[in-house]
Amino acid sequence: MHIVQRGHNREASFFADEDRLYYLEQLQRLLPGHGCALHAYVLMTNHVHLLLTPETETSAGQLMKHLSQRYVQYVNRTHRRSGTIWEGRFRSSLVQTETYLLTCYRYIELNPVRAGMVKHPAEYRWSSYAENANGAPPACSRKTMARQSSRCSPRTGNTSGLTVILPCGKRRTRKS
């Protein structure tokens, strides 16, 4: 299933690297409990793409409901704001063929390139590209961010700690 969730009025949904890390941490925590397997993701400035396989008809909806609630509460508390971040409910499309599956992988992981944010998808750290393409370890986690004098750039590789299931069925887990 390809899921897209857009920011309200197409405004920013992520305001700092810590916001993206929090979103990915919550996604990692919620996936197993909701019976969803993650295959690919990208966190753009004002929207999110996820490629996942839900175990049941309600798995994806429940995952997105809880993920959205946690993230909005976190952002509102952290950035002293109120109201929603997301533009209504997420949109989703079923992935029923291998051709469409590979198209979704490319679409999701090349999104930062199409948006002109980077020249190559490996330069964008807020996607699953580095892991799916070559099993690269996370380039920036909370621990490495604390050691760096400057904030991690969105162009320095990947992050998270998510278990991503590759098209071949292998699992790779990133450690934060």
Side-chain angles (χ1 to χ4, degrees), residues 7-174:
H8 184 67
N9 291 328
R10 297 194 184 233
E11 293 175 1
S13 304
F14 300 99
F15 307 97
D17 285 346
E18 289 81 5
D19 299 344
R20 291 174 184 87
L21 285 169
Y22 182 85
Y23 185 93
L24 291 173
E25 288 169 359
Q26 294 308 307
L27 178 60
Q28 178 184 11
R29 285 188 181 115
L30 292 170
L31 281 165
H34 290 288
C36 292
L38 182 68
H39 305 289
Y41 68 89
V42 67
L43 307 183
M44 301 297 286
T45 305
N46 66 353
H47 67 285
V48 174
H49 289 272
L50 303 174
L51 181 62
L52 53 85
T53 301
E55 285 180 5
T56 69
E57 289 181 12
T58 61
S59 295
Q62 289 299 308
L63 169 71
M64 295 307 293
K65 174 185 174 186
H66 291 118
L67 180 59
S68 297
Q69 286 175 339
R70 286 184 183 192
Y71 183 68
V72 169
Q73 289 171 359
Y74 160 82
V75 167
N76 286 346
R77 184 177 57 253
T78 302
H79 299 285
R80 294 186 170 95
R81 60 180 304 277
S82 64
T84 188
I85 292 173
W86 305 114
E87 185 175 86
R89 196 176 196 288
F90 66 92
R91 293 178 304 153
S92 65
S93 57
L94 289 176
V95 178
Q96 296 180 321
T97 67
E98 188 174 317
T99 301
Y100 186 53
L101 174 68
L102 296 175
T103 299
C104 286
Y105 270 99
R106 282 189 302 272
Y107 181 82
I108 290 168
E109 293 178 346
L110 290 174
N111 209 286
V113 176
R114 280 191 309 282
M117 299 169 83
V118 294
K119 291 185 188 221
H120 190 276
E123 298 172 356
Y124 192 74
R125 67 183 260 213
W126 304 110
S127 85
S128 55
Y129 176 83
E131 182 70 17
N132 286 338
N134 58 13
C140 189
S141 66
R142 287 196 187 277
K143 290 177 187 173
T144 57
M145 285 179 75
R147 287 193 303 260
Q148 294 175 345
S149 58
S150 63
R151 284 283 170 233
C152 294
S153 161
R155 302 172 71 112
T156 60
N158 210 336
T159 186
S160 74
L162 298 174
T163 297
V164 176
I165 299 177
L166 305 174
C168 61
K170 291 183 182 174
R171 291 178 179 261
R172 291 218 171 112
T173 301
R174 292 189 203 115

